[in-house]
Amino acid sequence: MFGVIDIKSLKFNEKGLIPVIVQDYYTKKVLMLAYMNEESLKLTLEQGETFFYSRSRSEIWHKGETSGNIQKVKKIFYDCDEDTLLIKVETDGPACHTGNVSCFFRSLDGKYEEDIDILNKIYKIVEDRKINPVEGSYTNYLFEKGLDKILKKVGEETTEAVIAAKNNSKEEIIYEVSDLIYHMIVLLVEKKISLNDIFIELENRYKS
């Protein structure tokens, strides 16, 4: 499904493994580094989801089989030396077992990376509120009141963002646009539209 690739031309190491860099297809964020053997690569090509080889357990594992965080393969590349793979994926959840979007969330100076994937994080929180209501939650209040209430809030926040822009206040614009984005995410969850659906539409509109 990903075109012609001669697996035999790839340079697996002495243990029959090749390193694989996994990248989010839409955000371009590097998610993880794993290893494949020839069999797991064939499974990945055949099924369109990532399969890796666990060096600690000495077995093939299907990413997301237990967590549900499946990685759907969009593109597969190999480097100039033919000894490393880059797989671009559409994700159904965090790549890291810690719950972080990426396994690369710490730097050598001990500081955590600022979360540039905050939209996905907010979406997951809002989605969880809809599935698992929390008493006193404003998000649940919006879902309980229904679509008309959500649309009313989207309209109100849009107007407030416009007013903030007219007032020429950077702080006010940031605050109101943040409110608008949150309410738009509530609307997307209510209508069962994922952020990836939006990313795909934008990708189609602005392909270079």
Side-chain angles (χ1 to χ4, degrees):
M1 64 179 293
F2 299 103
V4 177
I5 178 171
D6 184 2
I7 294 178
K8 297 298 183 182
S9 71
L10 297 175
K11 298 175 184 175
F12 294 85
N13 66 19
E14 67 280 359
K15 295 182 179 179
L17 303 177
I18 190 169
V20 181
I21 300 166
V22 182
Q23 181 185 42
D24 189 291
Y25 181 72
Y26 301 105
T27 67
K28 313 304 180 187
K29 190 180 186 72
V30 175
L31 301 177
M32 59 186 287
L33 171 68
Y35 288 82
M36 287 182 175
N37 61 6
E38 189 171 324
E39 184 180 355
S40 63
L41 177 53
K42 286 180 179 178
L43 284 169
T44 298
L45 290 168
E46 290 168 2
Q47 300 194 28
E49 295 177 355
T50 52
F51 287 77
F52 302 107
Y53 184 83
S54 170
R55 293 174 296 168
S56 60
R57 300 192 304 272
S58 299
E59 64 181 16
I60 292 173
W61 58 287
H62 180 196
K63 175 63 178 173
E65 185 173 17
T66 56
S67 67
N69 300 331
I70 300 294
Q71 295 175 343
K72 300 173 185 176
V73 178
K74 304 292 288 184
K75 298 281 186 180
I76 300 179
F77 299 88
Y78 54 96
D79 73 337
C80 55
D81 293 322
E82 301 178 339
D83 62 1
T84 303
L85 296 179
L86 169 65
I87 300 185
K88 298 189 177 186
V89 301
E90 178 182 325
T91 64
D92 281 344
C96 186
H97 72 281
T98 63
N100 285 283
V101 172
S102 168
C103 293
F104 299 96
F105 58 90
R106 295 170 294 182
S107 63
L108 287 176
D109 61 8
K111 297 179 180 179
Y112 284 73
E113 180 185 28
E114 292 183 10
D115 191 356
I116 61 173
D117 202 34
I118 189 63
L119 292 181
N120 279 317
K121 182 176 288 187
I122 294 172
Y123 187 96
K124 291 295 182 184
I125 292 172
V126 171
E127 188 176 47
D128 184 68
R129 286 289 187 271
K130 186 171 177 62
I131 298 170
N132 305 298
V134 174
E135 186 176 354
S137 164
Y138 173 68
T139 302
N140 282 131
Y141 163 76
L142 292 174
F143 286 133
E144 288 166 5
K145 291 298 182 181
L147 181 61
D148 285 347
K149 180 63 175 179
I150 295 170
L151 293 175
K152 183 173 183 292
K153 288 302 298 181
V154 169
E156 289 175 356
E157 298 301 339
T158 300
T159 300
E160 290 178 10
V162 170
I163 293 172
K166 291 292 288 183
N167 290 340
N168 202 28
S169 167
K170 179 179 178 180
E171 291 76 16
E172 190 179 348
I173 293 170
I174 291 171
Y175 185 87
E176 298 301 345
V177 169
S178 296
D179 275 351
L180 175 58
I181 290 173
Y182 159 75
H183 285 92
M184 289 297 296
I185 289 175
V186 173
L187 174 60
L188 292 176
V189 172
E190 174 68 15
K191 302 304 290 185
K192 298 181 180 178
I193 298 171
S194 72
L195 287 176
N196 277 345
D197 291 329
I198 304 300
F199 294 153
I200 290 170
E201 175 63 21
L202 292 173
E203 182 80 13
N204 290 335
R205 289 189 187 188
Y206 302 105
K207 285 181 179 176
S208 56

